[in-house]
Amino acid sequence: MGEFELIARYFKRPTTRAAVGPGDDCAVLAPRAGMQLAVSCDMLVEGRHFLSTVDAQRLGHKALAVNLSDLAACGAEPLAFTLALALPRVDPAWLAGFSSGLHALAERHGCELVGGDTTAGPLNVCITVFGEVPVGAALLRSGARPGDAVWVSHAAGGGLGDARLALEVFRGLVALSGDAFERVRRIMEMPEPRVALGMALRGVASAAIDVSDGLLGDLSHLLRRSGVGCRLHTEHVPRSADLAAQPQALQRLCTLAGGDDYELVFTAPEAVREQVLAAARDVGVAVTAIGRVEVEPGLRLVDAHGVALDNDWQSFDHFRT
Ligand code: ADP
Ligand code: MG
């Protein structure tokens, strides 16, 4: 199977929202009047972002999910995406799985594959997403104000840190029952981007970011961009029953610096508390208040008894040695 047959078989799908889809030199997008394009790009590299043993269908899902999560953080509605793919070999079973996971998530979000590039090389998946947001309505990192509440999204009954818990099991550092492992592994491999929540928070949240590298690190980016600080209640950070059954140090590592959560952390004035809860209820996602924005820069952590904790959890950084 050659390059063009491969593209036609696995990646070419009819498009309706784009003016021109795959097959020409450029895709042509048609954002609606009064909308701005929100654009984001994320690359997944084998051995860095995923294990070589990961199921192809789940990888297809995750490659798009991490990009949709960036649109969610901006309150943008998915429109289209491009796919740059490097493959070590043409493996029809792998391509069928990968493309089915990718297209299934794309269809759920009305996000059309409009082009890409396909080449031989070490397995690498790079997606660029395009979303629409009403002019001036994009949620940014820079809008948090002193007095705002800090919220985090999560699945009902779930929380942050399950993806990291799964990684620790893969590393052999933690043991879980078979059922619990399958659950957290699924969360690590098939994150659910909070697109509907991001859109529902337009005009409600003052600032937002998605949690990809760990809560404290990503929240710190938001605080710095907003020129503020915050007090964060570490024990208010939601967690699943499986994680809550682990030693406290591991719970804190996973919830505060876990990474791969793809939840939204956002701020909102106290006056819109009910609107935040209503937005979350409308889209079927849970949200929990975990702290408060303060004038003084920095992140101050307090435990369940109000006792200050050192912030010695580092979030993920590819180039830190
Ligand atoms: P060009 O050489 O003009 O960059 P290519 O020959 O690389 O174009 O690709 C041919 C067409 O197939 C283009 O429209 C491109 O966007 C599309 N395409 C290539 N790879 C993919 C892919 N993985 N998924 C979707 N479309 C793709
Ligand atoms: Mg090309």
Side-chain angles (χ1 to χ4, degrees), residues 1-21:
M1 187 182 341
E3 176 185 339
F4 298 101
E5 191 190 340
L6 183 163
I7 295 166
R9 185 177 300 180
Y10 297 105
F11 297 112
K12 218 166 164 176
R13 290 287 181 281
T15 55
T16 56
R17 302 180 70 200
V20 177

Side-chain angles (χ1 to χ4, degrees), residues 65-101:
V66 303
N67 280 278
L68 292 177
S69 180
D70 285 317
L71 290 185
C74 290
E77 179 176 354
L79 172 64
F81 69 105
T82 60
L83 168 67
L85 192 58
L87 296 171
R89 74 197 75 82
V90 175
D91 174 346
W94 190 92
L95 278 160
F98 177 83
S99 59
S100 77

